[in-house]
């Protein structure tokens, strides 16, 4: 899933899910995104460390927002 390029993406844009997504869909997408964008993930090593950390923090914050 490509990370949004706009300056302040919403939680739904980060997760690329509709507002009607179930909690199971949100949780599943969270785990998928963490596998891709975790700072220690092999898939994210082509991205500078500060961007990796910022993306991971955005994903974690979005997950907290979507869980309620």
């Amino acid at each position: 899933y490509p990370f949004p390029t706009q300056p302040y993406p919403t939680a739904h844009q980060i997760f690329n899910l509709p507002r009607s997504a179930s909690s199971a869909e949100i949780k599943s997408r969270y785990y998928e995104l963490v596998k891709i964008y975790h700072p220690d993930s092999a898939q994210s090593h082509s991205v500078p460390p500060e961007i990796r950390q910022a993306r991971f923090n955005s994903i974690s914050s979005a997950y907290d927002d979507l869980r309620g």
Side-chain angles (χ1 to χ4, degrees), residues 3 7 9-11 14-15 51-65:
F3 201 82
T10 67
I14 290 172
F15 277 54
I51 294 175
R52 285 187 291 201
Q53 188 64 43
R55 286 180 178 176
F56 182 72
N57 291 343
S58 295
I59 291 166
S60 298
S61 177
Y63 184 60
D64 289 341
D65 289 346

Side-chain angles (χ1 to χ4, degrees), residues 1-66:
Y1 302 98
F3 201 82
T5 57
Q6 59 263 34
Y8 299 103
T10 67
H12 288 93
Q13 290 171 331
I14 290 172
F15 277 54
N16 197 21
L17 289 172
R19 295 196 180 275
S20 60
S22 69
S23 60
E25 290 172 315
I26 292 169
K27 185 176 182 179
S28 175
R29 185 62 53 90
Y30 172 72
Y31 286 118
E32 291 172 2
L33 290 172
V34 166
K35 286 180 187 177
I36 296 169
Y37 291 108
H38 190 277
D40 295 333
S41 168
Q43 296 174 341
S44 69
H45 280 262
S46 63
V47 178
E50 59 277 353
I51 294 175
R52 285 187 291 201
Q53 188 64 43
R55 286 180 178 176
F56 182 72
N57 291 343
S58 295
I59 291 166
S60 298
S61 177
Y63 184 60
D64 289 341
D65 289 346
L66 292 175

